[in-house]
Amino acid sequence: FFELFDAKLLKWSPLIVNGEKIPPNVHGDEGGLTWDSKRKVIYINAAAAYSKGNGKIYQYNPATKALSILDPKNRDSIGDKFFTYRETVYLPEADLVLFGMGFLNNQEIAFDPSANKWVSTTITKTASTASFDSIKNEWTYQAPKPNQNVGSITFCPSLDTKRNVLWAPSDYKTMFVLKIDPKTLIAPDSQK
């Protein structure tokens, strides 16, 4: 099932696919779909089997209808080590695809399309608690501390292009907000 929804006609239309076959949807938790606005392509992510990542990225070009399989660098050390390819988001300023539930060694994982490689980010499973003081009319923040809800079930980062922040609602009645700094987003050990 790979179709385009026409919002005006309220109708689904199958997309033509040339080249590789669409990867099977192993499990609802282990697939992702992301639009790369810079390259005008769709990235499709799918696990090889339940709880087993394959580290590959499927790239679909709507203009040519071509589907190809990318085999990113660092696949053996990063791409095959996590399996939850869902809740993906493309960050245009950083030129990265981020995986909301893709954490490895306490660092969020990303795909770098320009280098065709898996990278670790500086985003960790920590968070500050923010509260609004209505008397002072200002926000106050606690020091960051470990927070297992970051990257947990339904942690779904969505890009707010107006403010250039990620909003990530969680299944645990929490809203996480992250300001992205493209210069410091990729972890130093992933620069190689």
Side-chain angles (χ1 to χ4, degrees):
F1 186 84
F2 190 56
E3 301 190 359
L4 185 66
F5 183 69
D6 186 322
K8 289 181 183 175
L9 299 176
L10 300 177
K11 180 183 174 188
W12 289 96
S13 301
L15 288 169
I16 297 168
V17 178
N18 298 321
E20 299 292 333
K21 291 183 179 179
I22 295 293
N25 186 5
V26 173
H27 187 278
D29 283 348
E30 301 179 42
L33 189 77
T34 309
W35 172 250
D36 179 336
S37 55
K38 180 177 180 180
R39 294 165 188 84
K40 308 290 188 227
V41 297
I42 297 171
Y43 299 118
I44 304 168
N45 308 95
Y50 185 69
S51 295
K52 183 171 175 32
N54 68 6
K56 295 180 181 178
I57 304 280
Y58 297 80
Q59 180 181 282
Y60 179 72
N61 185 327
T64 64
K65 314 294 187 221
L67 180 70
S68 54
I69 298 175
L70 305 178
D71 194 4
K73 298 172 204 159
N74 295 342
R75 191 180 132 195
D76 57 341
S77 62
I78 296 177
D80 290 348
K81 303 291 184 203
F82 79 103
F83 64 89
T84 308
Y85 297 118
R86 60 189 248 188
E87 283 96 18
T88 57
V89 61
Y90 176 68
L91 306 176
E93 287 194 23
D95 196 21
L96 293 174
V97 175
L98 199 62
F99 294 80
M101 291 179 63
F103 280 81
L104 183 63
N105 301 324
N106 198 40
Q107 290 177 288
E108 194 163 8
I109 301 304
F111 170 64
D112 179 344
S114 65
N116 189 29
K117 73 177 183 178
W118 290 103
V119 295
S120 297
T121 70
T122 53
I123 301 170
T124 60
K125 286 180 166 266
T126 59
S128 298
T129 301
S131 54
F132 187 74
D133 186 329
S134 58
I135 296 170
K136 293 182 180 179
N137 198 30
E138 65 184 17
W139 287 93
T140 59
Y141 302 91
Q142 294 178 346
K145 61 182 181 179
N147 188 319
Q148 289 306 305
N149 292 341
V150 173
S152 65
I153 189 83
T154 69
F155 183 80
C156 184
S158 300
L159 182 62
D160 178 341
T161 54
K162 183 177 179 181
R163 296 167 187 85
N164 195 32
V165 298
L166 288 174
W167 297 90
S170 165
D171 201 28
Y172 301 99
K173 299 178 184 169
T174 306
M175 176 66 78
F176 295 96
V177 184
L178 179 65
K179 179 74 174 165
I180 297 293
D181 180 357
K183 296 175 191 153
T184 61
L185 186 58
I186 297 178
D189 60 343
S190 288
Q191 299 286 357
K192 302 169 188 170

